[in-house]
Amino acid sequence: MTAPSGTPNSGGPQSATPTPHRNPLAGGAHGPHALRPLLDTVLHALHTGAAERPGPLPAGGPDTVTAHIRAALGDVLPDHGTGDHEALHTLVRALAAGAADPAHPLCAAHLHCPPLAVAAAADLAASALNPSLDSWDQAPAASTLEAELTRALAAEFYDTPHPDALVTTGGTEANQLAVLLARERHGPRLTVLHGANAHHSIPRAAWLLGLPPAVALPTPTGVLDPARLAEALATTPGPILVTATAGTTDAGLIDPLPAIADLCDHHRADLHIDAAYGGLLALSPHHRHKLAGLGRAHSLTIDLHKLGWQPVAAGLLAVPDTALLAPLAHQADYLNATDDTAAGLPDLLGRSLRTTRRPDALKIAATLRSLGRDGLTDLIDRTCALAHHLAQRLDAHPGFELHSAPTISTVLFRPTRATDDELATQRRALLHQGLAVLGRTHADGRLWLKATLLNPHTTAGDLDTLIAHLEGSTHR
């Protein structure tokens, strides 16, 4: 008797008649039933791992963490698997125990936000359904959702008839796309002018695209000086792309955008604004005045995995008119055949330089629907208020020197009697002890500690704890 196709004795493909209990899939009608017990395991492992790490990161430094992860991994590709639940529990627990957890109030070094639960839950759905936004037949609903979301968000920054935005992996990709679009408008002799305060992805984009080396203008006060920019514009052969910053990585400073836009208009230079950090201040009535002139840019970088509380990745490149994105058009017959496009199937290839793309728009859309404008504004305002509270506490403390009042949510400060070497050592000591995660940056010729507050649930008591840890490390 011949065994039915797909049975162990047939020698045929084992996937012909899949069984729901063996290697279940995340999608389809049975996907949710397969996921539910696995999610219980993941959530338990997250809880257990976090409890094993009482601080914002594990104590002991890189060698200790590496040893723990190697022990948990064992043989990375074992001859025989351990099963779904054991694998998830072991590795998720180890990752949680060894994480630098941005949800901990003393994890405040980088532009690394704690994601909202609603956004992480939506990200699970995106992973389970696994749409790929490189052709409509792989992502029918997701492509429409993305188009609606990007147009709506672009309209928050541009008061124009046809604003649009592309979903990117973050600020770096968005900045690279902005420079690419400017090159396609003006040719390979395009010169990029930027402040020394600009994100490193700006000069790197010029290098990647084969443009002349980008020109960095000094920013001794931390922001781009219109007088220096005017001189550079007057002496640099065109065409020119000026890049300004609304929320610098080191201090959260915002360049004088209206004056920069005026100079670009006068010299017929294009303007790109990297507002990865500060762009969402535009949603807040209390803070949007800081972004006056934002809508005058030819392109904008916005990053919702900073002040938007999204899981990585969630970036945008916004433009005032969708026609500005035309240079990205691309044709690959298996994805956007001309007759399919003529018949009305949406062409998605021009929405990114990437081919396979996750539906990152879903988590953003779920967050906006859940919180609404007022809910997101409240998170932004609370976070900025926390930074001002910390700055005031440090400014009043005799043991610390405050660099300046925060513009967004970054606070620069230093122990009053510490040398730069001592400050660097103190920061590393806090990291090795697992007590606090603080950044570092140079300003005014000195090294400063950097607290980048992005957790709206941080309390005044948490900030007092941070100061107490700093006092203890200073006195050692």
Side-chain angles (χ1 to χ4, degrees):
M1 180 181 295
T2 303
S5 175
T7 65
N9 295 327
S10 72
Q14 299 300 303
S15 59
T17 309
T19 55
H21 64 278
R22 182 176 176 82
N23 302 324
L25 302 177
H30 296 291
H33 300 290
L35 281 171
R36 190 179 304 277
L38 297 178
L39 290 181
D40 286 341
T41 297
V42 166
L43 295 176
H44 182 262
L46 284 171
H47 175 78
T48 303
E52 293 171 357
R53 173 191 38 79
L57 79 169
D63 291 343
T64 299
V65 174
T66 297
H68 288 164
I69 292 299
R70 285 177 175 167
L73 274 174
D75 187 350
V76 174
L77 182 60
D79 289 335
H80 304 287
T82 61
D84 296 347
H85 291 278
E86 190 282 335
L88 284 169
H89 189 270
T90 298
L91 297 185
V92 173
R93 175 180 176 178
L95 198 67
D101 185 1
H104 193 287
L106 303 190
C107 190
H110 303 286
L111 289 166
H112 178 199
C113 76
L116 291 164
V118 65
D123 223 14
L124 168 66
S127 293
L129 294 169
N130 209 30
S132 181
L133 282 137
D134 48 320
S135 66
W136 183 86
D137 58 357
Q138 298 176 83
S143 60
T144 298
L145 186 147
E146 181 181 89
E148 294 295 312
L149 175 81
T150 51
R151 285 195 289 263
L153 286 177
E156 293 293 326
F157 306 103
Y158 289 112
D159 185 15
T160 52
H162 304 292
D164 204 351
L166 304 178
V167 176
T168 71
T169 53
T172 293
E173 184 188 353
N175 285 339
Q176 290 172 350
L177 282 171
V179 178
L180 171 63
L181 291 173
R183 187 196 70 178
E184 294 305 291
R185 287 194 297 271
H186 298 293
R189 295 193 299 165
L190 177 74
T191 297
V192 177
L193 296 180
H194 64 88
N197 62 349
H199 192 265
H200 62 83
S201 60
I202 296 293
R204 196 176 192 205
W207 168 71
L208 281 169
L209 294 167
L211 296 174
V215 178
L217 304 178
T219 53
T221 64
V223 296
L224 191 55
D225 178 7
R228 289 180 183 267
L229 177 60
E231 181 181 354
L233 286 168
T235 56
T236 302
I240 297 172
L241 173 68
V242 173
T243 67
T245 306
T248 60
T249 303
D250 284 343
L253 302 179
I254 297 173
D255 287 338
L257 303 180
I260 292 170
D262 287 344
L263 286 169
C264 289
D265 287 347
H266 179 73
H267 290 275
R268 298 184 179 180
D270 283 6
L271 173 61
H272 170 67
I273 299 176
D274 178 359
Y277 181 10
L280 287 188
L281 294 178
L283 300 181
S284 168
H286 299 293
H287 295 285
R288 66 168 60 111
H289 67 278
K290 300 173 183 177
L291 299 178
L294 194 71
R296 297 173 64 183
H298 288 80
S299 54
L300 293 172
T301 289
I302 308 292
D303 205 341
L304 286 96
H305 57 244
K306 293 181 173 60
L307 275 179
W309 295 281
Q310 298 299 295
V312 173
L316 292 176
L317 177 72
V319 293
D321 194 297
T322 192
L324 291 169
L325 302 175
L328 298 178
H330 184 66
Q331 207 272 323
D333 198 54
Y334 76 105
L335 294 173
N336 59 348
T338 54
D339 59 318
D340 279 348
T341 302
L345 293 184
D347 179 358
L348 305 183
L349 275 188
R351 305 294 298 177
S352 178
L353 291 182
R354 293 173 285 148
T355 303
T356 302
R357 287 196 298 120
R358 296 184 78 250
D360 288 315
L362 174 61
K363 62 195 175 191
I364 301 171
T367 299
L368 299 182
R369 182 178 179 86
S370 172
L371 274 66
R373 185 183 299 273
D374 56 350
L376 196 54
T377 295
D378 177 63
L379 293 182
I380 292 168
D381 290 349
R382 272 197 280 153
T383 302
C384 293
L386 282 168
H388 281 277
H389 178 79
L390 176 60
Q392 290 164 4
R393 288 279 286 110
L394 291 166
D395 196 32
H397 195 297
F400 297 97
E401 177 185 352
L402 178 70
H403 181 270
S404 58
T407 302
I408 305 178
S409 66
T410 300
V411 182
L412 301 187
F413 63 98
R414 55 179 291 132
T416 52
R417 290 177 294 277
T419 66
D420 284 1
D421 287 344
E422 289 169 341
L423 184 150
T425 299
Q426 290 162 9
R427 173 182 172 272
R428 287 191 293 270
L430 293 172
L431 291 175
H432 278 263
Q433 295 160 19
L435 293 175
V437 188
L438 292 171
R440 52 180 282 172
T441 189
H442 280 89
D444 301 332
R446 292 193 291 169
L447 186 65
W448 299 79
L449 291 172
K450 177 175 67 169
T452 307
L453 301 182
L454 289 179
N455 186 342
H457 298 301
T458 298
T459 66
D462 294 325
L463 299 179
D464 288 342
T465 299
L466 174 61
I467 292 173
H469 287 327
L470 290 164
E471 288 172 328
S473 67
T474 300
H475 295 151
R476 283 188 175 86

